């Protein structure tokens, strides 16, 4: 099973609070909601198509909680709520033991081994959306096959960037691009080992 990370990011790499400010989840961050003014019908449809594509979702605890509250209550909306509610969800958490969102399996303990087991399944796709800390961890543990970044034409100037200041190096093969009317650029990369240096 291919593991794909799909994130909405600013030009300066911020992936925090794209949909709005949330003091509980993002204390002190006041520049949330940067994606909303730039979304257009085509970009939203592209994101929805991405959510409809996988066989299962892999989520971190904070994103899972937010999505369960919002999209779980819209499980028959014909859109994002239905896309995620109708598929298996794997929740990486050491604190949640009895999830209430139907179709959820908790992964704890040796997370890398469990993710490798999921990836070893024949065909299909395991999609990570949001879950920035989990996305970073998966990349650092060399478990990611594909990156799908929706880069928004905005510099936020502060906030949590999805890539760390220091870490492993990766060669990327660009496999797809698309530019949307508001300037959002979709970039799809296959993760391909170490880069070459001159």
């Amino acid at each position: 099973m291919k593991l794909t990370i799909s994130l909405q990011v600013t030009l300066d790499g911020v992936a925090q609070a794209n949909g709005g400010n949330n003091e509980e989840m993002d204390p002190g961050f006041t520049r949330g909601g940067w994606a909303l003014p730039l979304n257009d019908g085509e970009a939203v449809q592209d994101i929805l198509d991405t959510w409809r594509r996988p066989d299962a979702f892999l989520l971190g605890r904070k994103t899972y909680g937010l999505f369960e509250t919002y999209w779980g209550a819209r499980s028959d909306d014909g859109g994002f709520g239905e896309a995620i509610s109708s598929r298996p969800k794997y929740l990486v958490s050491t604190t949640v033991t009895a999830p209430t969102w139907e179709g959820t399996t908790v992964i704890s303990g040796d997370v890398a081994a469990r993710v490798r087991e999921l990836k070893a399944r024949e065909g299909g796709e395991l999609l990570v959306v949001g879950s920035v800390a989990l996305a970073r961890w998966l990349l650092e543990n060399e478990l990611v096959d594909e990156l799908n970044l929706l880069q928004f034409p905005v510099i936020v100037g502060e906030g949590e960037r999805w890539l760390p200041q220091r870490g492993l190096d990766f060669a990327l093969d660009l496999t797809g691009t698309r530019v949307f009317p508001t300037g959002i650029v979709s970039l799809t990369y296959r993760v391909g080992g170490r880069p070459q240096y001159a």
Side-chain angles (χ1 to χ4, degrees):
M1 186 177 286
K2 176 176 75 171
L3 193 153
T4 302
I5 290 173
S6 183
L7 293 175
Q8 297 175 36
V9 299
T10 65
L11 190 60
D12 53 341
V14 174
Q16 181 178 11
N18 62 312
N21 290 318
N22 183 322
E23 185 60 30
E24 183 181 332
M25 289 186 70
D26 302 295
F29 184 65
T30 60
R31 297 182 183 177
W34 46 264
L36 299 180
L38 296 164
N39 272 325
D40 58 48
E42 290 181 36
V44 171
Q45 185 62 50
D46 185 74
I47 297 166
L48 179 55
D49 290 344
T50 299
W51 280 42
R52 287 177 170 157
R53 189 181 68 207
D55 299 274
F57 287 85
L58 178 64
L59 302 167
R61 182 189 51 77
K62 284 172 57 176
T63 298
Y64 176 89
L66 180 68
F67 283 5
E68 179 183 23
T69 300
Y70 192 78
W71 296 119
R74 293 161 178 78
S75 61
D76 59 355
D77 65 358
F80 290 96
E82 184 176 307
I84 194 167
S85 294
S86 64
R87 286 168 177 74
K89 291 160 287 296
Y90 294 94
L91 165 62
V92 176
S93 177
T94 58
T95 56
V96 177
T97 56
T100 57
W101 197 1
E102 187 177 351
T104 299
T105 301
V106 176
I107 295 177
S108 61
D110 190 345
V111 174
R114 185 67 179 109
V115 170
R116 283 189 193 94
E117 288 174 15
L118 292 171
K119 284 171 53 68
R121 294 181 180 176
E122 191 66 33
E125 182 179 30
L126 182 62
L127 182 65
V128 178
V129 291
S131 305
V132 176
L134 175 61
R136 275 195 306 263
W137 185 88
L138 291 165
L139 191 62
E140 281 293 308
N141 283 272
E142 302 186 82
L143 294 167
V144 179
D145 300 300
E146 186 174 280
L147 297 173
N148 174 229
L149 303 177
L150 280 171
Q151 189 175 68
F152 283 67
V154 62
I155 296 171
V156 176
E158 66 176 57
E160 184 178 4
R161 282 147 178 85
W162 91 272
L163 288 173
Q165 198 68 3
R166 294 187 177 276
L168 291 179
D169 53 350
F170 292 92
L172 303 175
D173 295 321
L174 184 66
T175 60
T177 62
R178 186 171 176 194
V179 180
F180 297 99
T182 56
I184 299 168
V185 179
S186 174
L187 301 164
T188 303
Y189 296 99
R190 184 174 48 249
V191 180
R194 303 276 87 82
Q196 299 295 314
Y197 297 100

